[in-house]
């Protein structure tokens, strides 16, 4: 699996929604992605959305473009081949730091 790093993670308000915008960087390139931010009842940062994921729904092609997909089993959905959960976890860690 291709290693990755997260750069420039920041929260921005886009059309009334807070989104975390970040650069995903691999040996295959760089892509800017955006995901919804979740807050707790006090309005503090809680997490980055994974269940109803903007990336999963709208940015799958961009996400997969920076990973080596040559060894992906032919019937496996591309989004299930890339480490989306690990990417979201890395973004959360950057925001919490």
């Amino acid at each position: 699996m291709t290693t990755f790093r997260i750069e420039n993670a920041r929260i921005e308000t886009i059309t009334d929604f807070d989104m975390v915008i970040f650069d995903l960087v691999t040996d295959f390139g760089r892509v800017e992605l955006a995901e919804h931010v979740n807050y707790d009842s006090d309005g503090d940062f809680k997490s980055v959305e994974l269940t109803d994921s903007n990336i999963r729904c709208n940015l799958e092609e961009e996400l997969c473009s920076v990973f080596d997909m040559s060894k992906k089993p032919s019937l496996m959905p591309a989004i299930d081949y890339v480490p989306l959960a690990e990417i979201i976890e890395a973004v959360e860690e950057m925001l919490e730091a």
Side-chain angles (χ1 to χ4, degrees):
M1 182 57 66
T2 305
T3 59
F4 66 88
R5 70 180 183 276
I6 304 298
E7 294 180 354
N8 305 318
R10 66 224 178 258
I11 296 176
E12 295 182 8
T13 301
I14 301 173
T15 25
D16 298 329
F17 293 101
D18 283 352
M19 304 284 285
V20 60
I21 312 293
F22 62 93
D23 294 333
L24 175 63
V25 182
T26 72
D27 293 340
F28 293 92
R30 170 188 297 265
V31 65
E32 184 177 78
L33 299 171
E35 191 57 80
H36 296 282
V37 176
N38 297 316
Y39 295 100
D40 64 18
S41 59
D42 295 326
D44 296 324
F45 172 77
K46 179 180 177 186
S47 64
V48 175
E49 184 63 42
L50 183 59
T51 305
D52 190 20
S53 170
N54 178 60
I55 295 170
R56 182 179 293 278
C57 294
N58 302 311
L59 301 171
E60 179 179 345
E61 186 174 317
E62 291 86 343
L63 171 65
C64 293
S65 73
V66 294
F67 286 94
D68 179 7
M69 304 300 281
S70 65
K71 294 181 179 154
K72 179 189 80 61
S74 62
L75 296 177
M76 176 185 254
I79 193 72
D80 292 339
Y81 186 71
V82 298
L84 182 58
E86 290 86 355
I87 292 166
I88 297 300
E89 184 177 313
V91 171
E92 287 177 340
E93 288 173 4
M94 285 189 78
L95 293 175
E96 291 171 343

